[in-house]
Amino acid sequence: MRFRKRASPTPIPASEITPYETYLSRRELLAGGTGIALGAALGFGARHAAAEAPAPLAYVRNAALSVSEPPNSYQDITTYNNFYEFGTDKSDPAARAQSLRTRPWSVSVGGEAEVTGTFPLEDILKGHALEERVYRFRCVEAWSMVIPWVGFPLGDLLKRFKPTSRAKYVAFKTLYDPKQMPGQSVRILDWPYVEGLRMDEAMHPLTLLAVGLYGKTLPNQNGAPLRLVVPWKYGFKSIKSIVRIRLVSHQPPTTWNETAPDEYGFYSNVNPNVDHPRWSQARERRLGELWKRKTLLFNGYESEVAGLYKGMDLRVYR
Ligand SMILES: Nc1nc2c(c(=O)[nH]1)N[C@H]1C(S)=C(S)[C@@H](COP(=O)(O)O)O[C@H]1N2
Ligand SMILES: [Mo]
């Protein structure tokens, strides 16, 4: 595996970079009155045919759930991507994801829930206060970044759909449209990309539905308009451009597990003690840094999430 040499990551906390944009979007919110649909105020209401420039979001920084390590640069986060729907090179998504149309967008919710249906993105976002959370992000390929996401807890959304007692897992699906996602014409993966979480993982307060990064709506290459972020798991669990969420009673299939079951398990928690069959997971290259760092158990979120896996052998449930 090769890595580009880079300058050191931006040492300025995201909170100090974005106040003007935050101010701007707050002003829009105020102008719209109090009963306004949050999504519309955030620029999610407009209908455009082509990819749009990332727009400022109104959010509150969640310091308690943020790491203090400096975030990687916007440049790193938005040009070094995995999004195979647009090609397999790290530079492909930034170069090619402009063909994805993210407005209008809807998400269908189904399965073991009292409330189901197909909802416009604006309705999905309605009533959810956006937070900025600076998370570590660790790819199974042994590189990592620190990313200032903007989003809200997945659990808060799931509660709105009133999962039944039979709901034990949550399944997610990415858009399937080879016209917009040219990589889907190539059968490297069994499209559409699918992922899943156990219910308690999905409800964990760290599990985020992200709509932005660095204070602005997600660029297409990062999974616009709505993507999952599960910071204690390898990056591939964080499925992009979600169009379907299903509450299910059995462990759902996941793309990488189906593609290479010996290499990628359903859980895929970051674990320096369990190597990938073809390479070590003990260390990682933080983009922008020269020397490798030690990879931390659960990506450094052990005190928050280890309880979810009590009594489970992490070598078996990998
Ligand atoms: N739909 C979809 N989601 C995806 C992927 C993908 O190829 N398709 N790649 C995954 C992998 S391997 C990683 S590391 C992260 C990368 O997210 P980022 O490009 O925003 O850093 O997205 C994950 N989500
Ligand atoms: Mo990844």
Side-chain angles (χ1 to χ4, degrees):
M1 172 168 305
R2 294 186 308 121
F3 293 95
R4 283 180 280 171
K5 291 221 171 80
R6 286 166 183 281
S8 45
T10 317
I12 311 159
S15 56
E16 285 168 41
I17 296 171
T18 50
Y20 179 64
E21 291 164 356
T22 310
Y23 162 74
L24 275 184
S25 45
R26 288 229 175 89
R27 214 176 42 168
E28 282 175 51
L29 274 174
L30 290 175
T34 47
I36 185 171
L38 191 60
L42 300 180
F44 284 106
R47 290 176 180 230
H48 296 288
E52 32 198 279
L57 291 166
Y59 61 89
V60 172
R61 182 180 163 84
N62 187 329
L65 294 183
S66 291
V67 297
S68 53
E69 292 153 51
N72 281 86
S73 66
Y74 190 77
Q75 173 80 8
D76 276 353
I77 296 168
T78 60
T79 61
Y80 191 88
N81 300 102
N82 272 337
F83 201 169
Y84 278 18
E85 284 85 342
F86 299 99
T88 55
D89 284 356
K90 294 288 175 285
S91 57
D92 283 341
R96 300 169 70 193
Q98 304 321 307
S99 54
L100 172 65
R101 292 190 312 271
T102 57
R103 318 275 188 281
W105 191 270
S106 55
V107 179
S108 70
V109 179
E112 296 292 344
E114 285 175 35
V115 182
T116 59
T118 299
F119 304 92
L121 181 63
E122 295 74 26
D123 290 356
I124 294 284
L125 302 182
K126 208 174 282 176
H128 294 283
L130 298 181
E131 294 175 19
E132 179 182 71
R133 297 179 178 197
V134 183
Y135 280 170
R136 287 184 210 98
F137 192 86
R138 170 62 157 80
C139 176
V140 74
E141 297 164 333
W143 52 266
S144 69
M145 295 199 217
V146 173
I147 303 180
W149 300 109
V150 178
F152 60 96
L154 170 66
D156 289 353
L157 178 70
L158 295 180
K159 279 178 213 151
R160 285 172 52 195
F161 300 112
K162 299 189 166 63
T164 72
S165 60
R166 289 168 52 85
K168 305 290 186 214
Y169 295 85
V170 188
F172 304 89
K173 187 175 82 171
T174 295
L175 177 71
Y176 177 72
D177 183 352
K179 287 205 188 76
Q180 295 186 57
M181 295 180 148
Q184 290 177 332
S185 307
V186 188
R187 299 223 292 279
I188 22 162
L189 295 175
D190 190 8
W191 310 110
Y193 197 102
V194 291
E195 255 304 336
L197 294 172
R198 208 174 58 192
M199 200 63 187
D200 55 349
E201 299 176 324
M203 299 304 292
H204 192 279
L206 281 172
T207 304
L208 199 69
L209 271 177
V211 296
L213 63 87
Y214 264 110
K216 294 186 243 175
T217 54
L218 289 170
N220 284 358
Q221 60 266 35
N222 291 91
L226 185 71
R227 61 91 55 86
L228 186 66
V229 178
V230 194
W232 70 93
K233 292 179 179 283
Y234 291 119
F236 64 84
K237 298 293 291 182
S238 293
I239 183 174
K240 294 175 165 182
S241 305
I242 295 166
V243 294
R244 193 181 73 181
I245 300 175
R246 270 182 74 78
L247 294 133
V248 294
S249 55
H250 293 91
Q251 184 179 302
T254 65
T255 291
W256 281 103
N257 179 242
E258 297 265 290
T259 304
D262 298 339
E263 302 192 7
Y264 310 105
F266 174 82
Y267 286 94
S268 288
N269 294 313
V270 174
N271 190 339
N273 309 315
V274 179
D275 286 338
H276 185 279
R278 294 187 280 132
W279 61 81
S280 166
Q281 292 292 13
R283 300 197 304 158
E284 67 199 50
R285 171 92 68 197
R286 176 73 47 85
L287 262 76
E289 293 182 355
L290 205 49
W291 307 112
K292 286 192 178 176
R293 307 178 157 244
K294 279 191 173 159
T295 288
L296 304 172
L297 183 58
F298 296 113
N299 204 23
Y301 297 95
E302 183 180 359
S303 60
E304 290 95 329
V305 302
L308 296 173
Y309 309 102
K310 226 162 101 190
M312 289 172 68
D313 183 343
L314 297 177
R315 287 178 185 279
V316 176
Y317 298 96
R318 67 195 204 299

